[in-house]
Amino acid sequence: MKHIIRPVAAEDWALVKSLRLDALQDPLAGIAFLETYEAALARPDEFWQQRAAGGWGEVVSRQFVAERADGGWDGSVTVLIERAGGNDVLGEPTDVDQAHLVGVFVRPEQRGTGLARELFAAAVEFVHGLADPAVSRVRLFVHQDNTRAEAFYRRIGFAPSGLTHPAPGDGSAVERELVLSEGGIR
């Protein structure tokens, strides 16, 4: 099945909400996302409108989706740009301009088809096309138990940095930072 990989537009907010709610019902949602289905469902339309328009406070964001010919969406990844001298999305200070990839989701029937690679390629192309800021690293975090996702990330060129972060809501688990290696994805 052919998909168009494109950035989300403000008028796509209802589809952004629908895809996110679908993602939060995935069996791995508990270790892949930082919110629950119930919390997302309770958010007002204004939240989804701001999200589709790229509203993440002071953080530059861009969400990419995989759109079918019939207009339905089969996957998504969001890029958050974290500026040097500020705090990253985890509240930690950062000394480099970097991209943080979040909200990765591909519908189960599309997994293993190359669609996730296409989404990541679009996100990284966007990042490398930025002039201000000129991003020096691309990263993401993966839960220690999300082995399928981590294997995919490694296949497309991400490598562990050694940095870990406590998994939200589970003090006994960690999320590992993976950083895109030079020559990754392509």
Side-chain angles (χ1 to χ4, degrees):
M1 174 182 300
K2 283 280 210 191
H3 290 85
I4 294 171
I5 308 300
R6 67 171 182 85
V8 167
E11 61 268 15
D12 293 326
W13 72 269
L15 288 167
V16 168
K17 177 181 179 179
S18 178
L19 186 66
R20 181 64 170 188
L21 292 174
D22 288 351
L24 291 170
Q25 293 180 80
D26 187 273
L28 292 176
I31 60 172
F33 302 109
L34 300 181
E35 74 178 327
T36 65
Y37 174 83
E38 294 75 20
L41 187 61
R43 294 188 185 275
D45 288 347
E46 293 78 21
F47 170 86
W48 300 105
Q49 292 162 354
Q50 288 176 346
R51 192 171 193 164
W56 280 75
E58 295 180 19
V59 176
V60 173
S61 71
R62 177 72 50 96
Q63 182 177 3
F64 291 87
V65 294
E67 184 175 36
R68 297 187 307 266
D70 67 4
W73 290 0
D74 282 334
S76 175
V77 64
T78 299
V79 179
L80 304 176
I81 303 300
E82 300 168 326
R83 302 294 301 247
N87 289 338
D88 65 17
V89 298
L90 302 172
E92 298 295 323
T94 182
D95 58 354
V96 297
D97 290 324
Q98 63 188 4
H100 188 149
L101 304 181
V102 300
V104 178
F105 175 70
V106 173
R107 293 190 187 282
E109 63 273 14
Q110 294 295 326
R111 293 176 187 160
T113 67
L115 188 59
R117 180 183 289 271
E118 290 180 51
L119 284 162
F120 271 77
V124 170
E125 182 179 339
F126 163 73
V127 166
H128 290 312
L130 293 173
D132 183 28
V135 171
S136 62
R137 79 197 283 263
V138 178
R139 72 180 188 150
L140 55 80
F141 281 84
V142 63
H143 190 283
Q144 68 183 31
D145 295 335
N146 201 346
T147 55
R148 180 183 171 121
E150 185 170 346
F152 166 72
Y153 301 145
R154 286 176 180 248
R155 264 193 320 278
I156 64 170
F158 283 85
S161 70
L163 178 67
T164 61
H165 185 273
D170 182 359
S172 65
V174 297
E175 293 187 335
R176 291 187 273 269
E177 181 189 54
L178 302 178
V179 177
L180 186 62
S181 306
E182 185 137 347
I185 298 180
R186 306 219 194 277

